[in-house]
Amino acid sequence: KNEVEQSPQNLTAQEGEFITINCSYSVGISALHWLQQHPGGGIVSLFMLSSGKKKHGRLIATINIQEKHSSLHITASHPRDSAVYICAVRSSDYGGSQGNLIFGKGTKLSVKP
Amino acid sequence: NAGVMQNPRHLVRRRGQEARLRCSPMKGHSHVYWYRQLPEEGLKFMVYLQKENIIDESGMPKERFSAEFPKEGPSILRIQQVVRGDSAAYFCASSPPGQRSGANVLTFGAGSRLTVL
């Protein structure tokens, strides 16, 4: 079993829909990252969380430390949101350094006009 | 501010040759990380460096792979005697100094795509 699991693997939505992508992890963590990988391959860091909730524009990220679960929400989705969204955690169990992240396999989002 | 610069963007090597991938971190960033993304797989951490020091190389393959971040110039990921299984996208990220533990924000480069024939 992977230490970081994302669901769904693939998601197709109509423009304007509210989207939720889920991330569950099985290790203790000191931080959780949400990343966006564009169709061209480039990666952008969206959020870094250790507790609570963060919002940036139409994106909202939440984390529940007790339940070892995080969600990424996109409101009023748009075709330009089409990308792969990746959850990654820095484990506190292994004493890894910063940047030593465990990545989920990603959720491929396609937003249709 | 040019961001994290990686080059080359695409590199083709024959089996047995050497591959050198370069990463210049964002201005003001002194921490560099390398990640590998194999085809159809997720990203994997390889190594974390600060200037002239390897901090964490727990994700580096034991043989043929090395990384450095000299006092002057870019960080370099070097793969000797490449094999077809080394074909992947290699991403570099950087972060500034002075971040509290577990709270670093990463800026990624566009990646270098290595193809081994």
Side-chain angles (χ1 to χ4, degrees):
Chain A
K1 186 179 186 299
N2 293 327
E3 292 160 311
V4 180
E5 297 273 4
Q6 289 187 235
S7 63
Q9 276 188 297
N10 294 282
L11 180 56
T12 300
Q14 287 298 127
E15 184 172 356
E17 285 186 359
F18 180 83
I19 287 161
T20 295
I21 298 170
N22 296 298
C23 175
S24 296
Y25 51 90
S26 57
V27 295
I29 69 166
S30 53
L32 181 143
H33 297 251
W34 280 103
L35 310 172
Q36 180 192 54
Q37 186 165 27
H38 298 292
I43 297 172
V44 175
S45 179
L46 298 175
F47 294 105
M48 184 181 61
L49 297 162
S50 54
S51 64
K53 176 179 176 178
K54 286 191 176 180
K55 184 176 190 293
H56 186 257
R58 295 180 296 106
L59 301 178
I60 303 166
T62 64
I63 188 168
N64 184 319
I65 298 295
Q66 287 73 32
E67 295 186 3
K68 296 189 173 183
H69 181 269
S70 176
S71 292
L72 177 69
H73 305 286
I74 305 175
T75 61
S77 60
H78 190 276
R80 66 174 174 265
D81 297 326
S82 298
V84 176
Y85 292 84
I86 301 168
C87 172
V89 302
R90 181 188 170 191
S91 171
S92 57
D93 290 351
Y94 307 137
S97 62
Q98 64 186 49
N100 187 339
L101 303 177
I102 306 169
F103 295 84
K105 292 189 181 299
T107 295
K108 185 173 182 180
L109 171 66
S110 177
V111 182
K112 306 293 186 188
Chain B
N1 193 337
V4 177
M5 303 301 294
Q6 288 190 249
N7 66 82
R9 290 293 309 278
H10 300 275
L11 182 63
V12 178
R13 285 288 178 264
R14 297 193 180 279
R15 281 179 298 169
Q17 292 184 319
E18 179 178 286
R20 285 192 181 220
L21 309 176
R22 288 175 289 278
C23 170
S24 296
M26 271 188 75
K27 189 175 180 181
H29 285 195
S30 57
H31 300 191
V32 166
Y33 317 87
W34 285 94
Y35 302 94
R36 177 165 67 173
Q37 189 172 40
L38 292 166
E40 306 303 320
E41 292 192 22
L43 287 153
K44 301 279 188 205
F45 167 79
M46 298 182 77
V47 63
Y48 162 35
L49 310 106
Q50 296 178 18
K51 283 284 187 183
E52 300 184 280
N53 282 305
I54 297 173
I55 307 302
D56 181 354
E57 57 181 348
S58 57
M60 287 282 269
K62 295 287 186 277
E63 296 176 345
R64 303 186 297 107
F65 285 72
S66 62
E68 62 175 5
F69 189 15
K71 187 176 180 181
E72 302 290 338
S75 175
I76 295 173
L77 180 67
R78 181 183 179 208
I79 312 171
Q80 295 177 287
Q81 300 175 322
V82 296
V83 301
R84 290 217 175 102
D86 297 332
S87 295
Y90 292 83
F91 289 93
C92 169
S94 69
S95 66
Q99 296 281 334
R100 63 184 170 84
S101 176
N104 62 301
V105 177
L106 303 174
T107 302
F108 283 82
S112 292
R113 278 147 187 86
L114 172 65
T115 301
V116 180
L117 302 178

